[in-house]
């Protein structure tokens, strides 16, 4: 406890310093009247971050001490708080918890909440169509428990990661959740902390490690949820998950000061029921964020999102980041999408009803956190009143998901009735001044309101009477907060003022007076109004608590509506963009006829050229794709990945037809950038991503490689790319699309039966190249890089010299028949055509010397050098 220093610190500053000492890592917003003030070092930091004026406050005996301070208006505080959160700061809010008018001595203040990126509740500061997850991690012996909580919606889920790939699976799940904040034990290893925070989008918080104890945590969770066992939540034996959930509960209760009435359920889930997608895949395919500015613009989610509600938008986003693996579940979603896409009236009627609904999940969250205002309650009531209409629209639907909405979704009629009877239809935004309890709901409110209205009417009548008595037609009876009610008379009429008027204030052009009668009415009116406001506040809190008791029912309805909205969105998208229902099965084939890139086809001004693909595990497992830059290789690769993901969330797809055997994981290696903070070069980032693919892909995976080995020397790069392709073919068995400018890789098809060559077709006309955007069988003969460079505007001298250098390099690296000198020896060891073959036949040392002189060792990989040396040695044998 901080004490006043011998009278030198004011009582108010002692109050501030006491609370600040308990929250040293947060910027403390301290309520003083209509402002939140910051003092000392907090003020210096906030003034700099928020670009607001830094002043000073005199404090203590003699008022000689100057304390730095700055402040923000209370009505605009959320905006400033959000800015601080985005800058990685924690904010503690201290409120006045008693009326300053009634306070005896210093106003009582309390810390009401601590706001962090993962515990933000303000609707103005949250992305309406994205969950705001707080993720809490617990680690033990290289295995992990994870808890994810969205305070704004009440969602609270847990899972575990065990086995050799626990760390990789954990990072994949964090990529899916895209949390705003991650909480870890303070004794977690430095390397793991760095890995978790490497993405940079999540705020990392450390918590005392004993808060993660599974034993005491289990007791705390059972007590909080008022259950004898956690088995009903599916996590009774998930020790690691319990540890993370207990820490999450502690952190939330501490930051929200115990107001968690909407978090009444805990659910365990398994990541094994969803397609695996690591952060690189989510980023490279631009599922929910583009790589340019990290917004939703030009992403697959933007294409798919026709949702009418924020909760539906969040549900669709979760589906997109968690494609399904269960065939029955995929087909069930497909059937609902198909039925909605085929019935225009159902789609239109459903869209109309959903368009009238507000965000039930986040409204429930604010009610449970006791921050909901009267307008939130009315919005919830209006939304719940639409539930019967949804059932009416779907009453004839036959697909199981749509039928379940009719039979299982609660209507919440009791809550609707309570809100309709108790809260005014157009209430004010706050409870500060009353006026939000409906007439007829509470007898005492009606009496006080009538008295207040009658008193105000009497004041108006009094003004008319006084004008008639005095003959002063400009006389006014008015009110302000300083003097209450008063009579104002212009100075020109001052001589006509009756003797019983008591002068209260003199103005430049008028005098103000009071009378005993006026003060009597004032007490009557203001007394009734004050009692009315206080009573309305009490009643509203009671109403809010009554609704909070039904939050489980409301959230059940909300999640049903969210799923319905997501299904409607997929149906609307299918109709608007001419998508077809894919055939999804458990076989190993991937066959897409006339597939299109769902994002690019909406952006390009020209007609999109569709393309086919056939991949399986027996005849065509690896496709090597060659062709010039700008021809469309990257678009083709990505569209295959996107179509597979769309199919496995139950969506229709942009194609003429599609047969898709369920893919367990999608991997992509596309481009790369330096990770300077992690001390990794572009090539190291590329190799990390490639290693992740080779170590985790299976026969049921889809691997998309858009260049491998381009960050190092040419021969090193070719060697790595060659070995990667062979490994995927021989060892992993994953369906693979491999785009490359290393034309040497096309010779892999000569000795590997499941590797096929395809290229993006182009046509040459004079020195121009025409991109046909069509993938055809066979390999391309060159990259046309110099032509593309010319299109980009490189000087003519550079283009000319490039052609000369290219000619020399091709002579050095290719035989007279066009065969690659790098790939002259296949995997089985069979010797191919070699320009030095005739020299070996002479079997003399001069021939060997001449052969060595004809090669360039610095251009050969170690493996190529050893193979070449072995051939020379063999020729020397008798």
């Amino acid at each position: 406890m901080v004490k006043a220093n011998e009278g030198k610190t004011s009582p108010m500053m002692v109050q501030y310093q006491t609370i600040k000492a308990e929250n040293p890592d947060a910027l403390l917003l301290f309520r003083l009247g209509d402002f939140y003030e910051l003092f000392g070092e907090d003020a210096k930091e906030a003034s700099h971050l928020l670009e607001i004026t830094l002043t000073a406050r005199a404090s203590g005996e003699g008022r000689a001490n100057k304390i730095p301070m700055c402040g923000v208006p209370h009505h605009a505080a959320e905006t400033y708080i959000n800015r601080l959160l985005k800058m990685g700061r924690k904010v503690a809010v201290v409120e006045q918890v008693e009326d300053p008018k009634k306070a005896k001595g210093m106003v009582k203040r309390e810390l009401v909440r601590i706001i962090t990126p993962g515990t933000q509740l303000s609707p103005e500061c949250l992305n309406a169509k994205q969950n705001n997850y707080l993720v809490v991690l617990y680690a033990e012996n290289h295995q992990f428990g994870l808890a994810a909580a969205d305070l704004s919606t009440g969602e609270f889920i847990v899972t575990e990661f065990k086995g050799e790939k626990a760390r990789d699976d954990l990072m994949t799940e964090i990529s899916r959740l895209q949390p705003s904040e991650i909480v870890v034990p303070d004794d977690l290893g430095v390397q793991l902390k760095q890995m978790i925070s490497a993405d940079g989008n999540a705020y990392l918080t450390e918590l005392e490690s004993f808060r993660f104890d599974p034993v005491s945590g289990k007791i705390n969770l059972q007590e909080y949820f008022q259950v004898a066992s956690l088995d009903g939540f599916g996590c009774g034996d998930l020790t690691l998950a319990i540890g993370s959930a207990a820490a999450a509960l502690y952190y939330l209760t501490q930051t929200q000061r115990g107001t968690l009435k909407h978090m009444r359920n805990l659910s365990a889930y398994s990541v094994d029921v969803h397609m695996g997608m690591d952060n690189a895949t989510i980023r490279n395919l631009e599922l929910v964020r583009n790589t340019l500015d990290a917004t939703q613009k030009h992403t697959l989610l933007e294409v798919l999102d026709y949702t009418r509600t924020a909760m539906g938008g969040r549900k669709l986003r979760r589906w997109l980041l968690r494609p399904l693996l269960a065939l029955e579940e995929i087909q069930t979603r497909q059937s609902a999408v198909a039925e909605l896409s085929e019935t225009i009236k159902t789609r239109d009627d459903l869209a109309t009803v959903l368009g009238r609904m507000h965000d039930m999940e986040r409204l429930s969250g604010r009610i449970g956190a006791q921050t909901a205002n009267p307008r939130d309650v009315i919005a919830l009531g209006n939304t719940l009143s639409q539930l019967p209409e949804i059932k009416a629209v779907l009453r004839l639907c036959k697909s199981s998901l749509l039928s379940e909405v009719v039979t299982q979704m609660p209507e919440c009629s009791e809550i609707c009735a309570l809100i309709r009877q108790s809260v005014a239809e157009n209430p004010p935004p706050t409870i500060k001044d009353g006026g939000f309890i409906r007439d007829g709901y509470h007898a005492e409110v009606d009496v006080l309101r009538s008295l207040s209205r009658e008193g105000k009417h009497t004041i108006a009548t009094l003004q008319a009477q006084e004008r008639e008595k005095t003959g002063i037609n400009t006389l006014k009876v008015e009110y302000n907060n300083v003097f209450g009610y008063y009579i104002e008379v212009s100075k020109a009429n001052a001589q006509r003022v009756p003797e019983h008027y008591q002068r209260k204030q003199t103005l430049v052009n008028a005098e103000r007076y009071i009378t005993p009668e006026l003060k009597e009415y004032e007490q009557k009116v203001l007394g009734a109004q004050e009692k009315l406001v206080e009573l309305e506040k009490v009643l509203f809190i009671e109403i809010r608590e009554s609704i909070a008791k039904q939050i489980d029912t409301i959230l059940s309805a909300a999640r049903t509506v969210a799923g319905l909205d997501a299904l409607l969105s997929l149906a609307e998208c299918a109709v608007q963009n001419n998508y077809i229902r894919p055939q999804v099965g458990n076989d190993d084939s991937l066959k897409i006829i006339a597939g299109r890139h769902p994002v690019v086809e909406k952006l390009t001004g020209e007609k999109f050229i569709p393309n086919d693909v056939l991949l399986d595990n027996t005849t065509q497992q690896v496709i090597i794709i060659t062709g010039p830059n700008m021809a469309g290789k990257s678009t083709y690769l990505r569209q295959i990945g996107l179509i597979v993901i769309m199919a496995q969330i139950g969506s229709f797809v942009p194609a003429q037809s599609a047969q898709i055997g369920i893919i367990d994981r999608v991997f992509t290696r596309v481009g790369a950038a330096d990770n300077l903070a992690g001390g990794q070069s572009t090539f190291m980032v590329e190799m990390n991503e490639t290693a992740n693919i080779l170590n985790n892909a299976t026969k049921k995976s889809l691997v998309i490689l858009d260049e491998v080995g381009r960050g190092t020397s040419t021969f090193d790069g070719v060697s790595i790319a060659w070995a990667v392709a062979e490994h995927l073919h021989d060892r992993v068995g994953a369906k693979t699309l491999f785009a490359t400018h290393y034309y040497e890789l096309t010779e892999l098809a000569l000795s590997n039966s499941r590797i096929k060559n395809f290229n993006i077709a182009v046509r040459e006309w004079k020195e121009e190249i025409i991109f046909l955007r069509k993938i055809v069988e066979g390999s391309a003969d060159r990259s046309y890089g110099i032509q593309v460079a010319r299109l980009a505007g490189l000087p003519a001298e550079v283009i000319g010299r490039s052609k000369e250098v290219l000619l020399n390099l091709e002579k050095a690296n290719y035989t007279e028949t066009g065969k690659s000198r790098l790939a002259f020896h296949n995997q089985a060891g069979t010797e191919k055509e070699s320009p030095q073959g005739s020299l070996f036949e002479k079997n003399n040392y001069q021939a060997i010397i001449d052969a060595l002189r004809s090669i360039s060792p610095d251009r050969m990989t170690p493996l190529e050098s050893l193979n070449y040396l072995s051939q020379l040695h063999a020729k020397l044998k008798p």
Side-chain angles (χ1 to χ4, degrees), residues 200-249:
N201 291 321
Y203 179 74
L204 192 66
T205 299
E206 294 184 13
L207 195 62
E208 302 97 328
S209 58
F210 70 86
R211 302 291 180 187
F212 295 78
D213 177 52
V215 177
S216 59
K218 187 173 187 178
I219 297 171
N220 293 338
L221 288 168
Q222 290 175 175
E223 182 179 344
Y224 175 80
F225 289 110
Q226 297 182 349
V227 294
S229 168
L230 297 180
D231 292 345
F233 298 133
C235 59
D237 57 350
L238 302 181
T239 304
L240 299 173
I242 290 172
S244 59
L249 181 63

Side-chain angles (χ1 to χ4, degrees), residues 708-736:
V708 168
R710 295 304 294 265
T712 185
S713 69
T714 300
F715 292 143
D716 276 356
V718 171
S719 302
I720 292 171
W722 185 288
V724 166
E726 284 185 337
H727 188 84
L728 287 167
H729 178 272
D730 299 340
R731 302 289 184 87
V732 178
K735 289 179 275 291
T736 303

Side-chain angles (χ1 to χ4, degrees), residues 136 144-148 157-161 170 173 177 235 238 240-242 244 267-272:
V136 181
F144 306 93
L146 178 148
I157 54 178
V158 293
T159 190
E160 288 187 344
F161 304 92
L170 169 67
E173 185 63 11
L177 292 168
C235 59
L238 302 181
L240 299 173
I242 290 172
S244 59
S267 300
Y269 71 102
S270 171
V271 296
D272 296 336

Side-chain angles (χ1 to χ4, degrees), residues 631-642:
K633 297 192 301 295
S634 295
T635 298
Y636 174 73
L637 293 177
R638 287 169 172 82
Q639 80 184 37
I640 304 305
L642 293 176

Side-chain angles (χ1 to χ4, degrees), residues 350-469:
L350 194 55
T352 299
V353 177
L354 291 173
R356 295 196 293 260
M357 303 184 79
H358 298 273
D359 192 341
M360 282 193 287
E361 288 181 324
R362 285 190 168 158
L363 287 171
S364 298
R366 293 200 289 279
I367 286 172
Q370 300 178 21
T371 62
N373 60 43
R375 289 185 181 177
D376 289 334
V377 172
I378 285 296
L380 179 62
N382 290 339
T383 298
L384 295 176
S385 68
Q386 306 300 316
L387 298 181
E389 291 194 44
I390 290 176
K391 290 188 172 185
V393 171
L394 299 176
R395 67 186 184 281
L396 299 179
C397 290
K398 294 181 171 55
S399 61
S400 59
L401 284 180
L402 301 181
S403 298
E404 286 174 3
V405 174
V406 179
T407 58
Q408 297 181 14
M409 184 174 69
E411 294 188 3
C412 305
S413 55
E414 292 183 5
I415 303 171
C416 285
L418 171 62
I419 295 173
R420 186 170 55 251
Q421 294 165 7
S422 61
V423 183
E425 187 173 350
N426 295 301
T430 71
I431 63 175
K432 179 181 177 182
D433 299 318
F436 44 82
I437 296 297
R438 186 183 289 271
D439 288 342
Y441 175 69
H442 193 277
E444 189 176 354
V445 167
D446 293 343
V447 170
L448 291 172
R449 187 169 287 158
S450 175
L451 189 59
S452 178
R453 289 170 181 168
E454 180 184 336
K456 291 178 182 178
H457 174 72
T458 302
I459 294 296
T461 303
L462 180 61
Q463 176 176 282
Q465 291 174 348
E466 291 301 311
R467 285 182 177 181
E468 184 177 351
K469 289 178 182 178

Side-chain angles (χ1 to χ4, degrees), residues 713-716 855-861 864-865:
S713 69
T714 300
F715 292 143
D716 276 356
I855 65 171
S856 300
D858 59 334
R859 294 178 176 271
M860 301 176 71
T861 66
E864 291 163 356
S865 300

